[in-house]
Amino acid sequence: DSSLFSRSLQGLRRRSPALSKAMVAESDNEAVAVVKDLVAGTVGGCGGIIAGQPLDTVKVRMQSPLTRGLYRGPMHSFVTIVTHEGPRALFKGLSSPLIGNAPMQAIVFGMNGNANRIMDRYVPSLRELPGSDRPNFLRLYLAGTWAGIGQLSVCVPVELIKCKLQVEQNTKIKLYNGPWDCLKKVVQRRGIFGLYQGFWATFWRDGPTYGLYFVVYEMSKYQLRDRQTGKNSMASLLTAGGLAGVSTWLFTYPFDVVKSIIQTLPDDAPREHRKLIYQFKTNYSLYGPHFFTRGLSACIARAVPANAATFLLYELTLRHI
């Protein structure tokens, strides 16, 4: 009965007033709320991808064994790419995340929003305190982790194709003629599971840390809100998004380095080299712990505009749909 469902949901919001203030779509119809999360997540994801792609290319060039010896640092990498390959080279591989990461971000925000609503409804201990506008951060972490694991089915192939295209330098002799050609050749050479090369590195990079991502964002929003109105300004949303991105990358960056290494290995690389533990042990033995911070400054510089754009566009889209 739709009227009963509506009254139940309204009762839920009276018990948990902070839910609608968290980054979760609000609607008397669950299906409509999910669609809103998906649409807003797609818009936010595309904005973040475009804003962050140039520095993401620099980051991957600094990490990959095919290109990392060519550059003295992120700035040298940026200048060299622009000088020798042109500014458009900074956007190599952009179409892959735009095609794949848009639904990936939609999955993340959709699963996160839905999990928050379900836990708020059925798990009393994960609701906010009556009369409080403070989000339940444990619930946010669990929902974010669930969303981070859910998006791996799309994320790993997208990241693989993006990274392979980003490390191509010779504009005259190309291994791949765009993302679809790359996908086709990977499947031809290594089968469908070849698209999931680097899965475990991506799992540990994205799974648990997506929970941290949403917690830091909501915590920052809560601290930066207007105390009188309880609302956030555009500047506070941008700040919260940037803080969420930076803190998450600091926690998870070593896994991203290993992921880029594994995903840019030649197709004929030994199977052992594709393993997470092998890459950690080998590179730690050869280069020490600092190896796992290669490209970190470019990553942090990228995280601020990319994540600020993602969250800002997400929030603004939710407000207008």
Side-chain angles (χ1 to χ4, degrees), residues 113-162:
N114 204 32
N116 267 291
R117 285 186 290 270
I118 290 171
M119 285 189 285
D120 194 86
R121 184 176 306 138
Y122 297 113
V123 186
S125 62
L126 294 179
R127 294 173 186 158
E128 286 77 14
L129 295 174
S132 172
D133 62 350
R134 185 176 185 272
N136 187 302
F137 295 116
L138 175 58
R139 188 190 69 220
L140 291 175
Y141 179 79
L142 293 174
T145 299
W146 171 246
I149 293 171
Q151 54 88 47
L152 290 172
S153 60
V154 178
C155 174
V156 179
V158 164
E159 284 285 309
L160 178 82
I161 293 168
K162 176 184 72 69

Side-chain angles (χ1 to χ4, degrees), residues 40 44 130 176 202 260 281:
Y176 309 109
T202 313
S260 294
K281 289 175 64 177

